[in-house]
Amino acid sequence: MALTELFSARKSCTTCPYCGVGCGVAATLESQPAGGESGEAVIRIQGDEQHPANKGKLCVKGSSLADTLGNHGRLLKPRLHGEDCDWDTALDYAASRFRETIEEHGPDSVAFYLSGQLLTEDYYVANKLMKGFIGSGNVDTNSRLCMSSAVAAYKRALGADAVPCNYEDLDEAELVVLIGSNAAWTHPILFQRMQAAEAKLVVVDPRGSATSEMADMHLAITPGSDAALFNGLLHYLTEFGALDQAFIDNHTENFTETLYAAAEWTPEKVADYCSVELDQLLAFYELFRGTEKTVSFYSQGVNQSSTGTDKNNSIINCHLATGRIGKPGCGPFSITGQPNAMGGREVGGLANMLAAHMDFTEENIDRVGRFWNASNMAQGPGLKAVELFDAVDSGQIKAVWIMATNPAVSMPDARKVAAALKKCPTVIVSDCVADTDTARCADLLLPATTWAEKTGTVTNSERRISRQKGFLPKPGEARHDWEIVCDVAKRLGYGEAFDYRGPADIFREHAALSGFENNREQARRAFDISALANISDQEYDFFTPVQWPVNATNPDGTARLFADGDFYTPSGRARFVAVSPQCPKQETRDEYPLVLNSGRLRDQWHTMTRTGRARKLLDHSEAPEVHVHPDEAQKFGIEDAQLVRVESEKGQFFGRARVTASQKPGQLFAPIHWSDSLAHNATVSALALPFTDPVSGQPELKQFAVNIAPLNAHSYACLLLRTQTADEFHSRLQAGDKLLRETILHWYRVPVEGGYRFELALSRQPDWQAIADHLFALHGKQLNRQRLQLPSGERWLLYSEQMELLVFTTADWQTLPDRKTLEDALQNPLPEMPAQLLQNVPAGAQMVCTCLQVSRKEIEAAIADGAASVDELGELLGCGTNCGSCKPEISALLNTNLAVAVG
């Protein structure tokens, strides 16, 4: 990508588009590549040292953002029924299909499905159009899948979706309890703050992780038993005199009923229910009892459950009982998974919310209707995510507009969701990527801008609003999401209400609504940024990150909530919530005897439409995988690195086995990131039954009942192709091409400079000649061929003036050559003797430090030579000295190798 003409020389400060930490990012133009070589200008990404969320630090994903830029694979023009079209045609189609559907079937026959990747301004206009002018509550978001149980629990307990803590509490805490969070990988910048503060760390997680590796204590509880653990903690705190009775009496309600529900959960019963040692359980309870400055830090392991709201409330109950809320260094801290999940909640992006943290009450509907001057207000909540796609499947929803998300991969029972979209009369998808599993279901594709081009605001996990600033122009014909929504709204006849000059106009209206009739006499709400309602365009451009509320009382923002013990319930008191622990809905049985957990990997994000573009982010783990305990591996005949098939009653998942004692017997783990766009049968959510939490509607995505078996392949191949041919090969794989289907058992692909690498598991020896003829038939190039047959396997080379195809096959996957060496053939000039490309290449080494490209082999060699600490290895090799995400893995290698040496 030629970037020289796209930049000014000044640094552009924006916000990272990944997790909910909301790190500040500084993007800078360098006049020439590092090292002083002449050439094209490049973008340098650094942490913004002035941003309070990260103070200059970035994880490996954030540090690699420049590698994700470029137009390859981008959606650059509107596409209607598979053909490029102009914007007028696309917008007319979108508006006419929605209008006709509403006229014939009513407003509840249409829906929007949004994303925590959208900016607040995008979210605001989409919510306003549907709930204020179309007249339906059917706006939901992928935040339903990650945060809605935390939202519901905060509202039940505190009266508002208001996170009480901030990141400084992690600096001041003396104990941090991480529940269902692998923060060392998923929120590494915050995890490093915890470590720097030298707080005691307790991890509550069924599996061992990078986070538990660095913790002082790991409670490997039975999956889904969190509520029992914290009911037991409440019982213990009561029995041993750790209650803050004055706080309970003066600032809470419903304590007696809640305590009664917890009374049966004695330490002995909890230890048995949660499958932990009694001594360890009591040590945790005593540590919590004796540590005033305690933060409970929880995430998807708690939320993604059929009882996630109750689990959240069981944690909050313990903080209310001890008065550990609203004070420095303590509180129940739900950590957000997406960069703007909270911003979406602020504007009403969830189907059960109206706008500006207002629920669907008669008074609020009237209030928002008057503010918007909208005469067709939605009169009640819409369909939540699982319900919404069920309604698409049943035909109740006949037109759906999906923005910046990939539900055909992320939703439970994902195959059913994809099938429902394919039969829906009208599916519109706004995205920056041309080929996703969801995009393949669309009638109309609308090209949207992405991170480097978008301008607006986001809100992170500590309620801090930051600016996201575009520093690249819109590519092709891409438009901002707010522009697209407003253009459709105008065609529907609502032009006056959507006549915004830019995102600053939208933000001012959003801020004004947050303060509209927001007082004790009318409807007091926690979310209030009314002090920002009159900021100028220049003030918006140079917006300083600030934590809401931002109003007349707190014009400079609010770092911590509830310090005065005043809550947003009708009584002003926090509510205890009585919890009765329940088992996960997806129970094991003879046919499906194992529990599968799912989650993120260190260097990947969501469905990899962004991180999958950066080659080095695949160094740590490039393939779908399944973590399995050695006992289960032996029981089911599985070897480490072997291809396996995992099945539930809903579907199957293929991945490579990683045999590890970090898994407990009877449990498996698989990453969420791969999809049909990237690999064959690698969508883990396709295994999930669509059970949901009855309060929040959040689906159970952490416990699937499954079985596992080896997937025996005849042989394996590594195939390198240039971009055009690789795209053709990929299209044929996805279309089920007969020649390929009869030969290839499993595949995944990796982007490399100049093309793609495909890793293939083969059911029989391929006819590479026929495959090559098939692929290159229309290219018109004169191709030369070289073939080498060895006892270990076959090698093929096709070349013109450059290498076009290179294949290495073998019966043993682990003996395939070092992939980086093979990939060089796509970038380097063709050798004078092309057959040299078929020569032996040693097997590769697993990468541990992605930032500085330090392999496991190098680290183990340094340990053997005497390196005895993470810091010492950092000094010698550089590993762990940039983003720090690899430090837990380096520590584990140290522990393992030093133990072997001592033994």
Side-chain angles (χ1 to χ4, degrees):
M1 178 182 182
L3 295 171
T4 307
E5 71 279 13
L6 302 181
F7 269 75
S8 65
R10 67 184 178 86
K11 178 167 63 176
S12 179
C13 292
T14 183
T15 308
C16 181
Y18 289 122
C19 75
V21 176
C23 294
V25 173
T28 309
L29 173 70
E30 288 188 339
S31 59
Q32 52 184 325
E37 300 174 7
S38 62
E40 188 177 274
V42 296
I43 297 171
R44 179 163 56 91
I45 294 293
Q46 292 179 304
D48 181 356
E49 294 181 355
Q50 303 303 311
H51 200 289
N54 58 313
K55 301 177 181 178
K57 293 186 177 182
L58 289 177
C59 73
V60 65
K61 294 186 290 293
S63 300
S64 303
L65 276 166
D67 297 338
T68 69
L69 303 177
N71 289 345
H72 176 67
R74 288 289 300 269
L75 182 64
L76 299 174
K77 290 178 67 69
R79 192 175 296 170
L80 180 60
H81 302 310
E83 300 293 332
D84 289 347
C85 66
D86 59 49
W87 268 107
D88 282 338
T89 300
L91 295 169
D92 288 346
Y93 176 86
S96 64
R97 291 301 299 139
F98 265 74
R99 182 187 301 107
E100 291 162 6
T101 303
I102 293 164
E103 288 174 353
E104 185 173 353
H105 303 285
D108 288 333
S109 65
V110 300
F112 293 165
Y113 188 66
L114 311 179
S115 165
Q117 298 288 293
L118 293 172
L119 305 187
T120 300
E121 293 77 2
D122 302 323
Y123 253 126
Y124 181 87
V125 294
N127 188 66
K128 178 181 178 180
L129 173 58
M130 180 60 78
K131 291 176 181 168
F133 292 84
I134 290 175
S136 173
N138 288 340
V139 177
D140 212 45
T141 165
N142 62 8
S143 298
R144 180 72 60 190
L145 309 185
C146 62
M147 295 308 303
S148 55
S149 287
V151 172
Y154 276 143
K155 290 178 71 174
R156 288 204 300 188
L158 312 179
D161 174 17
V163 178
C165 307
N166 63 37
Y167 297 162
E168 290 180 359
D169 290 324
L170 300 176
D171 303 330
E172 298 194 38
E174 296 172 4
L175 170 65
V176 179
V177 185
L178 298 106
I179 311 111
S181 167
N182 184 14
W185 279 12
T186 59
H187 302 95
I189 300 304
L190 295 186
F191 185 71
Q192 289 168 41
R193 289 182 75 155
M194 299 174 203
Q195 290 183 299
E198 299 184 351
K200 289 279 188 183
L201 300 180
V202 175
V203 171
V204 179
D205 195 324
R207 71 185 188 102
S209 66
T211 306
S212 67
E213 180 70 32
M214 306 294 280
D216 297 283
M217 182 186 299
H218 176 207
L219 293 168
I221 63 172
T222 299
S225 63
D226 312 74
L229 179 71
F230 284 91
N231 263 14
L233 176 58
L234 181 60
H235 172 84
Y236 184 90
L237 295 170
T238 305
E239 290 292 305
F240 287 89
L243 302 181
D244 186 335
Q245 198 62 52
F247 183 84
I248 294 170
D249 291 343
N250 295 326
H251 300 293
T252 73
E253 59 192 17
N254 202 35
F255 178 65
T256 302
E257 181 183 338
T258 301
L259 189 59
Y260 181 80
E264 67 177 289
W265 292 96
T266 63
E268 292 77 12
K269 180 173 181 177
V270 173
D272 180 63
Y273 188 89
C274 296
S275 300
V276 296
E277 294 295 328
L278 179 60
D279 288 348
Q280 187 189 37
L281 179 72
L282 290 172
F284 164 56
Y285 282 177
E286 184 59 24
L287 186 60
F288 193 104
R289 184 193 71 81
T291 310
E292 177 70 19
K293 289 190 171 184
T294 297
V295 170
S296 294
F297 185 97
Y298 46 98
S299 192
Q300 310 315 333
V302 174
N303 296 336
Q304 290 182 329
S305 165
S306 54
T307 56
T309 306
D310 280 352
K311 290 177 182 179
N312 275 262
N313 280 118
S314 71
I315 296 168
I316 297 170
N317 285 342
C318 295
H319 282 269
L320 295 178
T322 53
R324 296 175 188 172
I325 187 170
K327 303 173 184 176
C330 62
F333 199 166
S334 166
I335 189 70
T336 310
Q338 294 192 84
N340 202 32
M342 189 174 288
R345 286 139 55 187
E346 292 164 6
V347 305
L350 293 170
N352 52 300
M353 299 168 66
L354 180 56
H357 277 208
M358 285 179 266
D359 293 327
F360 280 95
T361 65
E362 186 175 339
E363 293 80 8
N364 284 337
I365 294 168
D366 173 70
R367 180 173 294 114
V368 176
R370 285 186 285 110
F371 182 88
W372 280 342
N373 193 25
S375 59
N376 194 29
M377 289 290 298
Q379 297 301 301
L383 299 172
K384 299 170 184 175
V386 171
E387 300 169 333
L388 190 154
F389 287 103
D390 281 346
V392 172
D393 182 57
S394 70
Q396 176 186 339
I397 297 291
K398 300 181 184 300
V400 60
W401 187 351
I402 299 165
M403 303 180 200
T405 187
N406 199 2
V409 178
S410 57
M411 288 292 295
D413 199 3
R415 304 284 182 221
K416 176 185 174 183
V417 170
L421 290 172
K422 288 175 182 176
K423 68 181 182 181
C424 183
T426 303
V427 176
I428 301 170
V429 173
S430 302
D431 210 327
C432 57
V433 180
D435 180 29
T436 69
D437 296 55
T438 302
R440 285 188 225 115
C441 305
D443 300 289
L444 176 63
L445 289 172
L446 300 174
T449 51
T450 187
W451 169 72
E453 304 127 24
K454 291 176 78 71
T455 293
T457 58
V458 294
T459 307
N460 74 358
S461 293
E462 60 169 354
R463 296 172 283 103
R464 189 179 298 278
I465 302 170
S466 298
R467 281 282 274 110
Q468 188 162 304
K469 297 180 182 179
F471 54 88
L472 294 179
K474 302 174 187 176
E477 297 182 20
R479 294 186 181 181
H480 299 312
D481 289 282
W482 70 264
E483 291 179 306
I484 302 170
V485 172
C486 290
D487 283 341
V488 171
K490 291 170 184 175
R491 281 168 167 77
L492 289 171
Y494 312 126
E496 185 177 347
F498 292 86
D499 190 21
Y500 303 106
R501 293 173 301 140
D505 279 354
I506 302 170
F507 181 82
R508 284 187 284 263
E509 181 177 307
H510 165 54
L513 176 57
S514 76
F516 184 61
E517 298 180 359
N518 186 351
N519 52 62
R520 289 185 182 274
E521 291 71 31
Q522 291 172 296
R524 188 172 69 111
R525 306 184 296 276
F527 177 66
D528 183 354
I529 57 171
S530 54
L532 304 173
N534 294 310
I535 63 172
S536 67
D537 287 356
Q538 184 178 28
E539 288 171 324
Y540 182 78
D541 286 340
F542 294 96
F543 190 92
T544 300
V546 63
Q547 292 169 279
W548 60 259
V550 191
N551 51 25
T553 306
N554 302 285
D556 297 322
T558 310
R560 188 177 293 107
L561 296 178
F562 310 121
D564 57 0
D566 185 19
F567 296 88
Y568 289 91
T569 59
S571 67
R573 292 170 172 261
R575 297 190 196 100
F576 283 92
V577 177
V579 171
S580 178
Q582 305 290 323
C583 293
K585 296 290 187 184
Q586 301 181 61
E587 296 183 291
T588 59
R589 52 189 187 273
D590 288 347
E591 188 178 358
Y592 303 109
L594 304 172
V595 174
L596 174 70
N597 186 3
S598 66
R600 295 182 187 169
L601 296 180
R602 190 189 76 189
D603 296 353
Q604 295 305 327
W605 170 254
H606 282 199
T607 61
M608 292 169 59
T609 53
R610 179 179 288 115
T611 52
R613 297 166 66 89
R615 171 64 184 87
K616 76 176 185 179
L617 291 180
L618 289 157
D619 283 340
H620 183 253
S621 184
E622 69 171 32
E625 57 191 44
V626 180
H627 297 194
V628 56
H629 188 273
D631 291 352
E632 303 300 339
Q634 183 177 21
K635 179 179 178 181
F636 291 96
I638 294 166
E639 298 179 0
D640 190 48
Q642 184 175 16
L643 199 61
V644 296
R645 178 181 62 244
V646 179
E647 286 187 323
S648 75
E649 68 174 78
K650 284 293 183 181
Q652 56 181 212
F653 172 91
F654 291 177
R656 201 165 290 285
R658 180 172 290 187
V659 179
T660 170
S662 67
Q663 289 300 124
K664 292 177 73 173
Q667 299 176 26
L668 308 174
F669 172 82
I672 63 171
H673 308 293
W674 278 266
S675 67
D676 288 349
S677 297
L678 302 167
H680 176 57
N681 264 356
T683 303
V684 71
S685 60
L687 303 176
L689 279 70
F691 291 115
T692 60
D693 181 289
V695 180
S696 69
Q698 182 159 355
E700 185 171 82
L701 290 171
K702 289 294 183 183
Q703 294 94 27
F704 313 157
V706 300
N707 61 38
I708 189 170
L711 195 62
N712 295 314
H714 169 274
S715 55
Y716 301 88
C718 175
L719 167 65
L720 279 162
L721 293 167
R722 296 200 173 275
T723 300
Q724 182 180 355
T725 315
D727 289 345
E728 174 67 19
F729 184 70
H730 183 236
S731 296
R732 295 186 183 215
L733 282 170
Q734 293 183 309
D737 179 275
K738 185 173 184 292
L739 179 63
L740 301 179
R741 187 180 69 246
E742 292 176 349
T743 304
I744 297 172
L745 184 66
H746 182 256
W747 61 269
Y748 67 88
R749 64 171 179 159
V750 175
V752 300
E753 188 69 31
Y756 283 88
R757 170 166 54 83
F758 291 84
E759 297 286 326
L760 311 174
L762 307 170
S763 56
R764 67 184 189 189
Q765 185 64 29
D767 184 344
W768 292 111
Q769 179 75 56
I771 291 173
D773 290 344
H774 209 37
L775 284 175
F776 291 94
L778 301 178
H779 281 217
K781 289 184 178 180
Q782 180 63 42
L783 295 180
N784 302 294
R785 293 175 170 81
Q786 297 274 358
R787 176 178 178 272
L788 180 62
Q789 180 67 54
L790 299 171
S792 59
E794 188 178 14
R795 300 174 188 176
W796 270 84
L797 169 66
L798 268 68
Y799 61 95
S800 53
E801 70 283 354
Q802 59 185 2
M803 190 278 285
E804 301 286 352
L805 174 151
L806 182 63
V807 177
F808 277 62
T809 67
T810 178
D812 181 359
W813 174 78
Q814 297 190 81
T815 64
L816 281 168
D818 176 59
R819 308 308 197 273
K820 288 289 184 71
T821 303
L822 292 184
E823 291 165 12
D824 287 343
L826 281 172
Q827 303 169 47
N828 297 336
L830 191 71
E832 189 173 328
M833 298 181 64
Q836 292 175 3
L837 294 176
L838 300 178
Q839 291 178 354
N840 286 337
V841 177
Q846 180 189 353
M847 204 62 64
V848 173
C849 179
T850 299
C851 294
L852 297 174
Q853 295 289 284
V854 183
S855 71
R856 176 173 182 153
K857 187 182 296 185
E858 292 172 289
I859 293 170
E860 290 178 332
I863 295 170
D865 288 341
S869 71
V870 173
D871 289 342
E872 193 172 348
L873 285 165
E875 291 176 9
L876 287 169
L877 304 173
C879 54
T881 61
N882 187 37
C883 81
S885 300
C886 59
K887 282 185 175 180
E889 195 165 347
I890 297 169
S891 177
L893 287 173
L894 272 166
N895 294 338
T896 301
N897 284 272
L898 292 176
V900 169
V902 171

